[in-house]
Amino acid sequence: ALPHPYTSQDRPQRYLRTASAIATPVCLFVNRPLAAINPFFIEALFKEALRTDCGLVTGIALDPNRRNLNSGAPFDASFVQPLGASAKPVSHISASFFATRRECLAAAGGLSILSPSDMQNTAALLAGNAQRQNLQILCTPCAVATLLRP
């Protein structure tokens, strides 16, 4: 979590200092307010991100013109099992939320690529790195969320 309170001027420096303390194998980026529809939202992202063939995972896939292609799948009543859905490879993702393994972040340039004011660029750099390393960019229908207005 970011330290609070912070001003717009010191936010990037504090953000990077906080990010440098990352010790988990998966980095989750949530870049706008959202409400998880699936109570296993984070677990779904982490499960896919931990795959050795995955470089980046999200719940929102985009087409090259940045229009939504996929943002979840219908679930059974318990939210445990998506109905007939599994993670699928995609080429473009939304920067609203995504996850990557720590080593993928390091291979893409580490903390220097993080831009709190331009997470779409950060997501694009991570996606480009995944493609160069022949890693998949995945969209999991299990990471279902409603994006809220800031």
Side-chain angles (χ1 to χ4, degrees):
L2 290 175
H4 290 282
Y6 54 81
T7 67
S8 60
Q9 290 180 325
D10 70 359
R11 182 175 182 223
Q13 291 77 24
R14 286 187 177 199
Y15 180 84
L16 291 175
R17 277 198 305 270
T18 303
S20 67
I22 295 170
T24 183
V26 174
C27 302
L28 173 64
F29 298 88
V30 178
N31 303 305
R32 63 179 288 183
L34 58 86
I37 305 291
N38 174 4
F40 302 103
F41 173 85
I42 293 174
E43 290 87 344
L45 289 169
F46 274 48
K47 175 186 168 199
E48 301 300 336
L50 285 169
R51 291 174 41 175
T52 57
D53 66 334
C54 178
L56 189 61
V57 63
T58 187
I60 303 175
L62 303 176
D63 72 9
N65 295 318
R66 303 258 178 252
R67 292 182 302 234
N68 260 3
L69 287 176
N70 182 349
S71 57
F75 275 75
D76 67 13
S78 67
F79 280 101
V80 173
Q81 179 65 38
L83 300 174
S86 61
K88 299 202 178 342
V90 297
S91 58
H92 297 82
I93 69 161
S94 166
S96 298
F97 62 90
F98 54 89
T100 189
R101 287 189 321 281
R102 193 168 81 174
E103 63 263 22
C104 294
L105 176 61
L111 299 177
S112 65
I113 70 163
L114 296 181
S115 173
S117 61
D118 187 6
M119 289 308 287
Q120 190 63 50
N121 185 55
T122 299
L125 290 170
L126 286 165
N129 179 68
Q131 291 169 338
R132 282 189 299 282
Q133 292 189 358
N134 293 317
L135 297 172
Q136 293 189 58
I137 301 165
L138 297 174
C139 179
T140 175
C142 300
V144 184
T146 298
L147 303 177
L148 305 175
R149 293 182 187 211

